[in-house]
Amino acid sequence: MTKKVPASFNKWIDKVKNTFPENEKLHRMFEKCFINTYTTTLQETEEGLPFVITGDIPAMWLRDSTSQIRPYLIVAEEDEEMATLIENLVKLQTKCILHDPYANAFNKSANGEGFQQDKTAMTDLVWERKYEIDSLCYPVQLAYLLWKSTNHTGHFTEEFNQALHKIIEVFKTEQNHTEKSPYRFERENVRQSDTLNNNGKGTDVSYTGMSWSGFRPSDDACMYGYLVPSNMFLVVVMDYVKEIALAFYPADQELLQASAKLREEVAAGIETYAKQPHPYYGDVYAYEVDGTGRKLFMDDANVPSLLAAPYLGFCEKNDASYQATRKLILSRENPYFVEGSVLTGIGSPHTPDHYVWPIALSIEGLTAETEAEKQAILEMLIAGDGETDYMHEGVNASNPAEFTRDWFAWSNAMFSEFVLSLCDVYVKGSPLSK
């Protein structure tokens, strides 16, 4: 049974209709995508906290739940119930992090569902334990943006303070993954991208100052351990932690100092180890590095991505290294860049060849500098729905009737955020709103 959509959503649905008065398909698509998370993925825990499933899997990912709910921060500016719902989601995410900061997805209760046979420290509450930097960044981002959007501060509890310490502790441990990390992960009888080699430790890395990640935001294993876009996100989130600490935990000098030190070390590591001159494009960022000289030049559709660096707040859209990197990853030098007869954009090794991800197209639109580019991307997104009025995971770039996932709440939310940006509506406090 779907939930009734609050009347506060209508303002933004009408905003899109008034901005694009002749585009009836866009009106229909935006409304369906915008309300999708609210009507289909919101459940409730026994404690009465909102549990946000991904859609086709009955578990909550820390990353996806944040991204799915993020456009509703715009609604929450004037809707107190929505603001409270998001505040309570942050409280649930906080509990999840304190339960296991290495887990990426959780069950609604300790029911033992999910990948319990994986060779890692599973519990009944954990659905999956693929360690990803972004899983710890997204809840901090949501907490910060909720504060900036609505002035709600009830989520800045003692538990949240403990979670921030736990997050920094994990990030610091994973700066020295090979020597210090307790984390291991193996899944048997699966493709290589679903497990870690080297007895569950992943490929060996050398110290760079960056923090190691076992998996990408696609849930695919990293080839090299230092996932650069996620480390970029980490840098931004440490700035959020500093601001939160000064405002709500002023006596906690340890939190303030540890976040500042970690930010400095990771940022220096990115500049030292992840940037390299390209003979045609100039200084570009690699997608992954291992600290020994090996670098992977590509981009994946999932956020955090190199394409999303300004969206996340790591740099400005006109930053020279970002622009050089953008040109590279939106070219055939990125093995996951796809050119089809209908869609052109970034795909992923997570889905079939020649599939473009609408998430990546939405990010490309949000970070584009010209109106012509934004409009071209909007037209592709409208053409790529497969006549469903929804966004998908991956779409055949030459035949949008072929796609993965009938609907994908994260992708629907990203599309909604891009369309609202075309109406000059942004989440308050977010990097692109400035």
Side-chain angles (χ1 to χ4, degrees):
M1 183 177 177
T2 58
K3 296 181 177 65
K4 184 179 179 181
V5 181
S8 53
F9 278 57
N10 293 333
K11 174 180 177 178
W12 309 109
I13 293 168
D14 290 342
K15 178 77 171 178
V16 171
K17 289 179 179 179
N18 293 332
T19 305
F20 300 94
E22 306 299 323
N23 199 331
E24 292 187 6
K25 183 174 181 182
L26 175 60
H27 301 167
R28 192 170 66 244
M29 287 178 64
F30 175 77
E31 182 169 355
K32 288 185 177 181
C33 289
F34 189 49
I35 70 173
N36 177 246
T37 285
Y38 188 87
T39 58
T40 63
T41 69
L42 279 177
Q43 299 182 1
E44 202 171 84
T45 67
E46 292 177 356
E47 299 171 282
L49 297 176
F51 185 83
V52 185
I53 64 171
T54 62
D56 55 353
I57 302 172
M60 185 177 84
W61 267 251
L62 294 175
R63 168 190 55 252
D64 294 50
S65 59
T66 295
S67 299
Q68 287 167 235
I69 216 78
R70 178 173 154 138
Y72 298 161
L73 287 165
I74 295 166
V75 177
E77 293 172 22
E78 301 172 7
D79 184 333
E80 184 65 23
E81 287 188 16
M82 179 59 70
T84 300
L85 184 151
I86 299 173
E87 180 180 299
N88 286 333
L89 174 60
V90 174
K91 290 178 179 178
L92 178 59
Q93 292 175 330
T94 301
K95 292 179 183 295
C96 290
I97 291 168
L98 289 174
H99 178 79
D100 185 353
Y102 282 98
N104 58 327
F106 294 83
N107 291 312
K108 188 162 67 172
S109 63
N111 54 31
E113 294 184 358
F115 293 92
Q116 297 297 325
Q117 301 306 310
D118 289 346
K119 295 167 72 175
T120 188
M122 292 291 291
T123 70
D124 286 347
L125 190 63
V126 171
W127 170 276
E128 186 174 60
R129 197 170 186 261
K130 287 182 172 178
Y131 173 62
E132 302 156 353
I133 287 174
D134 66 282
S135 292
L136 297 178
C137 290
Y138 270 108
V140 180
Q141 181 201 61
L142 183 61
Y144 177 84
L145 292 178
L146 176 63
W147 170 32
K148 295 300 178 179
S149 295
T150 68
N151 288 319
H152 265 238
T153 59
H155 50 296
F156 293 129
T157 60
E158 179 56 33
E159 274 196 334
F160 189 79
N161 178 259
Q162 293 169 16
L164 292 179
H165 279 279
K166 182 67 72 174
I167 288 167
I168 291 173
E169 177 187 335
V170 170
F171 287 158
K172 287 170 62 178
T173 297
E174 297 306 330
Q175 287 179 295
N176 294 278
H177 173 74
T178 303
E179 293 80 17
K180 295 184 178 180
S181 177
Y183 178 75
R184 303 290 184 274
F185 182 94
E186 291 181 273
R187 182 174 293 171
E188 296 179 332
N189 303 315
V190 292
R191 60 182 183 171
Q192 181 58 45
S193 61
D194 262 337
T195 189
L196 296 182
N197 60 13
N198 197 15
N199 296 315
K201 289 185 70 173
T203 305
D204 285 337
V205 293
S206 294
Y207 180 84
T208 64
M210 286 184 280
S211 194
W212 178 90
S213 189
F215 293 85
R216 301 168 180 171
S218 61
D219 298 336
D220 288 345
C222 293
M223 181 179 292
Y224 304 132
Y226 298 120
L227 180 56
V228 177
S230 290
N231 275 275
M232 290 174 168
F233 196 13
L234 190 163
V235 168
V236 174
V237 164
M238 287 305 106
D239 286 336
Y240 292 164
V241 171
K242 176 183 177 181
E243 196 171 340
I244 291 167
L246 287 170
F248 301 102
Y249 311 110
D252 192 345
Q253 287 300 303
E254 181 186 348
L255 178 62
L256 198 60
Q257 292 167 11
S259 60
K261 184 172 186 289
L262 179 63
R263 185 217 185 277
E264 181 181 344
E265 291 170 348
V266 173
I270 292 171
E271 293 304 304
T272 303
Y273 291 91
K275 191 185 284 188
Q276 179 172 305
H278 187 280
Y280 181 72
Y281 296 106
D283 287 346
V284 298
Y285 290 106
Y287 184 72
E288 290 174 359
V289 303
D290 68 355
T292 70
R294 290 184 291 184
K295 297 181 175 72
L296 179 61
F297 290 93
M298 57 163 278
D299 202 22
D300 197 5
N302 300 269
V303 183
S305 60
L306 293 173
L307 187 64
Y311 171 80
L312 296 171
F314 180 75
C315 62
E316 299 294 330
K317 287 192 282 188
N318 62 359
D319 177 85
S321 294
Y322 171 73
Q323 282 298 322
T325 305
R326 184 184 179 94
K327 289 173 183 174
L328 184 149
I329 60 181
L330 292 175
S331 78
R332 293 182 181 180
E333 292 203 37
N334 174 9
Y336 302 105
F337 178 73
V338 175
E339 295 174 288
S341 59
V342 180
L343 306 177
T344 296
I346 296 174
S348 173
H350 197 69
T351 46
D353 290 342
H354 202 66
Y355 274 49
V356 169
W357 279 47
I359 283 177
L361 283 173
S362 293
I363 287 294
E364 187 180 347
L366 280 159
T367 55
E369 292 193 283
T370 69
E371 290 304 315
E373 186 180 358
K374 290 174 183 287
Q375 187 60 38
I377 290 164
L378 177 64
E379 290 172 4
M380 280 196 286
L381 285 164
I382 293 171
D385 73 324
E387 301 303 322
T388 66
D389 294 335
Y390 287 108
M391 294 293 102
H392 308 290
E393 181 185 47
V395 180
N396 187 321
S398 298
N399 181 11
E402 296 178 357
F403 47 76
T404 59
R405 295 194 177 187
D406 291 341
W407 56 271
F408 187 22
W410 181 11
S411 191
N412 289 332
M414 283 299 330
F415 172 74
S416 300
E417 197 168 340
F418 171 51
V419 173
L420 285 168
S421 77
L422 299 176
C423 306
D424 201 29
V425 175
Y426 296 88
V427 174
K428 284 184 179 177
S430 64
L432 297 182
S433 69
K434 297 169 184 175

